[in-house]
Amino acid sequence: MIEIEGISKVFRLRGKSVAALEPLTHAVPDGRFVAVVGPSGCGKSTLLRLIAGLETPTSGTIRLAAGPVKRPVGFVFQDAVLLPWKSVEANIRFPLDTAGMERARSEPIVRELVELVGLRGFEQALPRQLSGGMRQRAAIARALADDPPILLMDEPFSAVDLLTRETLNDELLRIWQRTGKTVMLVTHSVEEAAYLADEVMVMSARPGRLQRTYTVDLPRPRSEETKLDRAYHELVAALRRDLRGGEAAR
């Protein structure tokens, strides 16, 4: 679904070249859940923005095997970025309105997404009337509105408390299992990466490069019992070692 071949990114800052990503090659199969971890500033978010087409790579190519899909990528940012004057329902419908879809066609899609993300009863609420977790649920629904095969998520739960984050992790797994999307999630939490993903990509310190990839051999569906599994703790420990090693090399 996502084929990355030798992509790099160099930014120009104050007349100087700053390498954000060294050439990186990786492939993400259809329907896979991939988490990306690494030190701050290592290019994790840049990688997602390159895949989404929000940035242009300095070198290399990215292919999205999405077939005849107009918008192959949905993006969930660290901040929900909802339109503050629009209701939950209107925010979710916004991509469909932008695409010119008739209301008769978009209404059932919006209703289904409201149910999918657990916001029934809050359809007419404004973003300021929602908790942080509910705003992110609405943002996920909006990203799924035009049914993209790929969902990119840039630290979507970093601003919520731990209990809310754990609840949203379980909700995200439920949504992923129901929709079958290919998901790439950037996170600073190695626990979150180990719990959610089929595969974890570990990035080095800037300039970012793919340091290691782990296949997560934990059975699905996952639950709180997963976090008692010895394999889960071994993976979390290995990820921490990798990140500490990356920080020490800076």
Side-chain angles (χ1 to χ4, degrees), residues 37 189-191 193-194 200-202 212 214 216 232-245:
V37 300
S189 168
V190 293
E191 293 85 358
V200 182
M201 297 170 61
V202 182
R212 185 170 298 176
Y214 289 90
V216 183
Y232 168 81
H233 289 281
E234 289 176 346
L235 176 57
V236 168
L239 292 170
R240 284 181 177 152
R241 285 195 299 273
D242 286 342
L243 294 183
R244 282 199 299 269

Side-chain angles (χ1 to χ4, degrees), residues 99-231:
M101 184 179 291
E102 295 178 359
R103 190 62 57 89
R105 288 182 58 205
S106 66
E107 286 296 344
I109 295 172
V110 172
R111 284 198 301 271
E112 183 178 352
L113 287 168
V114 166
E115 290 283 347
L116 180 66
V117 300
L119 286 177
R120 193 167 111 183
F122 294 90
E123 293 91 337
Q124 301 309 314
L126 294 173
R128 60 180 171 79
Q129 298 171 312
L130 304 176
S131 68
M134 293 171 77
R135 287 193 294 271
Q136 284 299 68
R137 288 171 189 244
I140 292 170
R142 182 183 58 188
L144 294 173
D146 45 10
D147 197 25
I150 299 167
L151 183 62
L152 305 177
M153 310 184 78
D154 191 3
E155 298 186 57
F157 309 138
S158 62
V160 300
D161 64 85
L162 179 60
L163 289 178
T164 301
R165 185 170 189 152
E166 290 178 345
T167 299
L168 290 170
N169 282 173
D170 288 330
E171 289 296 307
L172 176 57
L173 283 179
R174 179 181 60 81
I175 291 167
W176 170 67
Q177 286 161 354
R178 277 193 57 183
T179 62
K181 305 295 182 188
T182 302
V183 176
M184 285 192 72
L185 169 78
V186 163
T187 178
H188 278 292
S189 168
V190 293
E191 293 85 358
E192 186 170 69
Y195 181 64
L196 294 175
D198 297 313
E199 177 182 272
V200 182
M201 297 170 61
V202 182
M203 302 291 292
S204 70
R206 192 179 71 236
R209 59 180 176 80
L210 183 55
Q211 179 178 334
R212 185 170 298 176
T213 301
Y214 289 90
T215 298
V216 183
D217 293 321
L218 293 169
R220 295 191 185 275
R222 294 182 188 162
S223 66
E224 285 301 305
E225 290 188 2
T226 301
K227 299 174 185 178
L228 303 176
D229 194 309
R230 179 177 177 179

Side-chain angles (χ1 to χ4, degrees), residues 16-59:
K16 295 182 179 180
S17 295
V18 178
L21 277 178
E22 291 189 342
L24 184 153
T25 296
H26 194 64
V28 179
D30 185 22
R32 199 147 173 95
F33 196 127
V34 176
V36 185
V37 300
S40 294
C42 72
K44 302 184 298 296
S45 296
T46 298
L47 175 61
L48 288 198
R49 292 177 67 84
L50 289 167
I51 294 170
L54 301 176
E55 299 278 358
T56 302
T58 303
S59 66

